[in-house]
Amino acid sequence: MRITDLLSKESIRLDGVSSTKKETIRAMADLMEKSGKISDKNAYVEGLIKREEESTTAVGEGIAIPHYKGSAVTKPGLAAMVIKDGTDFDSIDGEPVKLIFAIAAPDTKENVHIDVLSKLSVLLMDEDFSQKLINAKSVEEFISIIDDAETAKDNAESEQVTTSDKKILAVTGCPTGIAHTYMAAEGLQKAAEKAGCAIKVETRGSGGAKNVLTESEIAEADCIIVAADTKVPMERFNGKKVIVTQVSDGISKADELIAKALGGNVPIFTSNESDEGVSAKSDNKEGIGHRIYKHLMSGVSHMLPFVIGGGILIAIAFLLDDFTIDPSNFGMNTPIAAFFKTVGGVAFGLMLPVLAGFIAYSIADRPGLAIGFVGGMLASTGNSILEFTNSYSGGINGYLANTVFNSSGTTVSGFLGALVAGFVAGYIVLLLRKIFSKLPESLEGIKPTLLYPVLGVFIMGALMLFVFNPIIGVINDALANLLNSMGSTSKVILGIVLGGMMAIDMGGPINKAAYVFGTMSIANGNYDIMAAVMVGGMVPPIGIALATTFFKNRFSKSERQSGITNYVMGLAFITEGAIPFAAADPLHVIPAAAVGAAVAGALSMVFGCTLMAPHGGLFVFPVVGNWPMYLVALAAGSVITMFMLALLKKPVYKEN
């Protein structure tokens, strides 16, 4: 495949005019649409803009290469535009952009087009080539210039031989892995050739790692350059001289990087350094809010498969079960239902440990995983409530018996506890790294395998058992007492409180306090309370799903895809489906969900709805008292949540 195979005449414009970056991007999307390579122009524009928010694709010398890979693309394609007067595109050298190539890559496993696009990126680094394209008089001449340059480069590469005693290795990578990755590789290769040294460059693009560095090559290398804005496996470079920088430096500062590598004044890399320390995009340049969001989304993105997989299997269990056998054991009454409920429950049970573990991983790399997992599990299980004999009334055993293990209330800190555990675990590891940084080099190997896990898990366990879990336990007890005192005064107010509680932490301790109160009420013959609890728990995911459907521009592409799943989870009374949205934007999502759920809970009480089953959602509606009005309560609460989200959340992209 050649470059011109991806570039049709309809997608080339030689007389472009634009004054702003967004105007330019929309013009490129119009050209791409004419070539028939994209199915959703708005999604393509959104993808291009999001890529620009990560870092500009204007690489200097009057060239920009905006690119997008995703489901909006049906076939790999290129669009080109010449703006002879130039336009502002936030170029890394501050110069106006005159030549723009937009890339459209489909979200598929096949990446034949990646090599072609990388070749174009490299050709554009030749100033003569770019100037010829800018001065082209016709579309046919424009295409011919590209064809001739590609042929010449292929011939030159087949004849090129490089030999030198000096050996430098490099790794390049950018978030999208289409253009910058290969331009940086070419820049470093040219600079090394000019300096008379050998170089091998590993490219970590969207097609996967290519030209991977071997152990023997790493061992023999004089220096290694990592020019990347994405995560690169660094352990293999332990003990070697390593330069870590941004991928754009591999394009614009390649000569400086090669000169520094040959000069020898480069620090030795040790593999126990923080992942943040080896990231080219240093957190020192980011705000605190962005850092917290980045770590949080690492946990949420890894947690999501457990929420969705486990939640859907649990929903299937309710669908297949026989409610009449034992209502209190609904979901486990028949063998096939028990199978789905068991498997789904195990997956669901891993949700909080995974959330905490990968928040810690984002902060402190692999050493944070174990400590985060332990913290998340302790948040999920709470403190063991054990009874000890009087022989443990004194000493350390007595102290533990009377503090950690002596509580009549719940000590499950749930979702909020797992969030805290994840961040605390990550920073525990960073603290331990700093404390042990002065140890002799001979003891480096025992840090990640002995010191960090032992001390980290101990500190994490102490904090969870002594501090976080007991505090949440006190809160839960207070909430339970409040609910009991309200039951005899106002059922409508009780419905508001219960519905709102179900949406505050969505499966956490506040949610569970309301749910336990509802199940206890069933045992006492009060079936209206459980009805308010369940409808309140169904509203958040359904309301969010409606918002992602009718107000799409308030949500990212991945959120819109997850929103579809929330219809099923909400109807199955799995409130946890809303957790990823609440974790990503708690200040807007939680109030919207809580208000909608509170209204639904109040309406359920007003309509006199009842429920004898402790779970099941839509699948137990046949046993709901006054189920038509129960549907009205559910719909009203969900629509309120939808409209509140539309008002509170800002659009992430503009719709035509």
Side-chain angles (χ1 to χ4, degrees):
M1 183 182 289
R2 295 177 63 82
I3 295 172
T4 49
D5 293 334
L6 304 181
L7 186 64
S8 61
K9 292 181 180 180
E10 297 82 5
S11 61
I12 302 173
R13 183 178 177 185
L14 303 181
D15 58 349
V17 177
S18 177
S19 57
T20 67
K21 190 172 187 176
K22 287 189 176 180
E23 184 180 341
T24 304
I25 286 175
R26 288 191 173 274
M28 299 308 295
D30 290 338
L31 290 172
M32 193 67 75
E33 187 178 40
K34 289 180 181 178
S35 70
K37 303 294 178 59
I38 57 176
S39 59
D40 186 340
K41 187 173 72 172
N42 285 336
Y44 182 66
V45 169
E46 178 188 350
L48 292 178
I49 292 174
K50 281 191 175 182
R51 174 60 186 89
E52 294 300 320
E53 290 173 350
E54 295 174 0
S55 63
T56 182
T57 58
V59 296
E61 305 297 334
I63 299 168
I65 313 178
H67 45 270
Y68 163 79
K69 178 179 181 180
S71 59
V73 180
T74 55
K75 295 180 181 179
L78 288 170
M81 183 164 66
V82 175
I83 305 177
K84 295 186 185 294
D85 294 332
T87 186
D88 182 11
F89 212 86
D90 298 329
S91 179
I92 59 176
D93 61 2
E95 295 297 318
V97 166
K98 296 184 178 182
L99 179 60
I100 305 170
F101 276 91
I103 296 172
D107 192 11
T108 59
K109 294 181 180 179
E110 293 76 21
N111 289 287
V112 178
H113 58 286
I114 294 300
D115 293 335
V116 179
L117 299 176
S118 68
K119 190 181 296 183
L120 171 66
S121 303
V122 171
L123 286 176
L124 288 171
M125 297 180 68
D126 186 331
E127 189 174 346
D128 291 337
F129 171 74
S130 301
Q131 198 59 47
K132 286 181 181 178
L133 292 176
I134 292 172
N135 296 330
K137 303 299 183 184
S138 67
V139 170
E140 289 76 13
E141 182 184 353
F142 190 93
I143 293 175
S144 177
I145 292 169
I146 295 175
D147 246 345
D148 293 344
E150 184 176 10
T151 300
K153 180 171 178 57
D154 290 342
N155 293 336
E157 286 180 348
S158 64
E159 298 172 359
Q160 184 176 356
V161 178
T162 303
T163 58
S164 173
D165 292 335
K166 297 180 179 179
K167 298 179 180 178
I168 296 177
L169 302 179
V171 182
T172 62
C174 71
T176 308
I178 294 177
H180 287 59
T181 299
Y182 304 100
M183 295 179 75
E186 178 73 4
L188 292 170
Q189 287 168 347
K190 286 186 174 180
E193 183 180 351
K194 189 190 305 181
C197 67
I199 188 170
K200 177 180 178 180
V201 185
E202 173 182 308
T203 55
R204 304 187 71 82
S206 60
K210 301 283 183 66
N211 210 27
V212 177
L213 308 178
T214 66
E215 290 185 11
S216 60
E217 289 169 339
I218 294 172
E220 296 172 1
D222 294 303
C223 184
I224 300 163
I225 300 170
V226 178
D229 291 343
T230 187
K231 183 169 286 188
V232 173
M234 298 294 291
E235 296 88 348
R236 52 188 170 155
F237 303 144
N238 188 41
K240 303 297 294 185
K241 292 183 177 181
V242 179
I243 299 171
V244 180
T245 188
Q246 296 178 353
V247 68
S248 59
D249 290 344
I251 301 170
S252 60
K253 300 179 181 179
D255 291 330
E256 297 176 27
L257 293 174
I258 294 296
K260 184 177 180 181
L262 294 175
N265 187 22
V266 177
I268 301 294
F269 174 78
T270 53
S271 62
N272 66 322
E273 291 182 23
S274 168
D275 188 53
E276 291 184 332
V278 300
S279 173
K281 286 187 173 180
S282 173
D283 274 351
N284 294 330
K285 299 179 182 179
E286 299 175 340
I288 294 176
H290 180 74
R291 275 182 278 169
I292 292 174
Y293 176 79
K294 182 180 71 174
H295 302 321
L296 185 61
M297 291 313 296
S298 173
V300 170
S301 63
H302 285 89
M303 173 190 74
L304 193 57
F306 294 89
V307 176
I308 295 175
I312 296 300
L313 290 180
I314 292 173
I316 292 173
F318 294 134
L319 179 64
L320 298 177
D321 201 20
D322 185 349
F323 169 78
T324 62
I325 296 176
D326 182 0
S328 65
N329 195 39
F330 187 57
M332 297 285 285
N333 287 321
T334 63
I336 188 170
F339 168 78
F340 281 100
K341 184 73 160 39
T342 300
V343 176
V346 170
F348 227 63
L350 290 171
M351 176 181 68
L352 296 184
V354 169
L355 172 68
F358 280 95
I359 289 175
Y361 174 75
S362 178
I363 296 170
D365 207 3
R366 285 197 298 177
L369 274 175
I371 302 169
F373 283 145
V374 170
M377 184 61 75
L378 289 174
S380 178
T381 61
N383 300 9
S384 299
I385 301 176
L386 305 174
E387 293 185 6
F388 293 95
T389 63
N390 292 333
S391 61
Y392 292 118
S393 60
I396 186 64
N397 281 317
Y399 175 70
L400 293 174
N402 291 301
T403 54
V404 173
F405 301 113
N406 186 20
S407 173
S408 59
T410 179
T411 55
V412 174
S413 54
F415 171 64
L416 297 178
L419 281 180
V420 173
F423 282 99
V424 170
Y427 288 105
I428 285 174
V429 174
L430 296 186
L431 176 63
L432 292 175
R433 281 198 177 116
K434 189 171 184 179
I435 292 173
F436 295 127
S437 61
K438 304 301 182 183
L439 285 179
E441 190 173 335
S442 59
L443 297 178
E444 285 292 326
I446 70 169
K447 291 181 185 179
T449 58
L450 178 64
L451 298 179
Y452 297 155
V454 172
L455 292 174
V457 168
F458 169 74
I459 296 171
M460 184 80 263
L463 288 173
M464 292 302 296
L465 296 180
F466 281 103
V467 181
F468 303 125
N469 284 348
I471 289 176
I472 297 298
V474 171
I475 295 173
N476 284 345
D477 286 341
L479 288 173
N481 292 333
L482 176 64
L483 292 175
N484 283 317
S485 65
M486 292 181 63
S488 58
T489 56
S490 173
K491 287 192 174 183
V492 175
I493 294 177
L494 182 59
I496 293 173
V497 173
L498 289 172
M501 287 177 64
M502 291 299 292
I504 291 295
D505 59 354
M506 304 171 189
I510 298 176
N511 171 288
K512 289 296 184 285
Y515 178 74
V516 169
F517 182 73
T519 56
M520 289 190 301
S521 299
I522 291 178
N524 296 327
N526 299 322
Y527 303 124
D528 51 356
I529 292 175
M530 189 65 225
V533 167
M534 190 171 81
V535 78
M538 295 171 71
V539 162
I542 295 176
I544 289 171
L546 289 171
T548 61
T549 300
F550 295 103
F551 298 94
K552 295 180 179 179
N553 67 340
R554 267 68 170 178
F555 302 90
S556 66
K557 177 184 173 183
S558 61
E559 286 176 326
R560 294 196 299 273
Q561 292 172 338
S562 299
I564 297 173
T565 307
N566 269 352
Y567 281 116
V568 178
M569 300 186 78
L571 291 173
F573 183 35
I574 300 173
T575 318
E576 287 86 348
I579 285 178
F581 294 85
D585 189 9
L587 294 180
H588 295 144
V589 173
I590 292 177
V595 171
V599 170
L603 290 177
S604 176
M605 287 291 193
V606 169
F607 298 148
C609 302
T610 59
L611 175 64
M612 293 183 289
H615 214 299
L618 181 67
F619 306 114
V620 296
F621 269 37
V623 297
V624 171
N626 197 12
W627 67 264
M629 298 310 295
Y630 197 59
L631 283 174
V632 171
L634 176 61
S638 301
V639 169
I640 287 172
T641 292
M642 175 188 71
F643 280 115
M644 284 194 65
L645 286 171
L647 291 172
L648 294 175
K649 289 179 71 67
K650 295 180 179 180
V652 296
Y653 71 93
K654 292 182 179 179
E655 296 180 311
N656 282 345

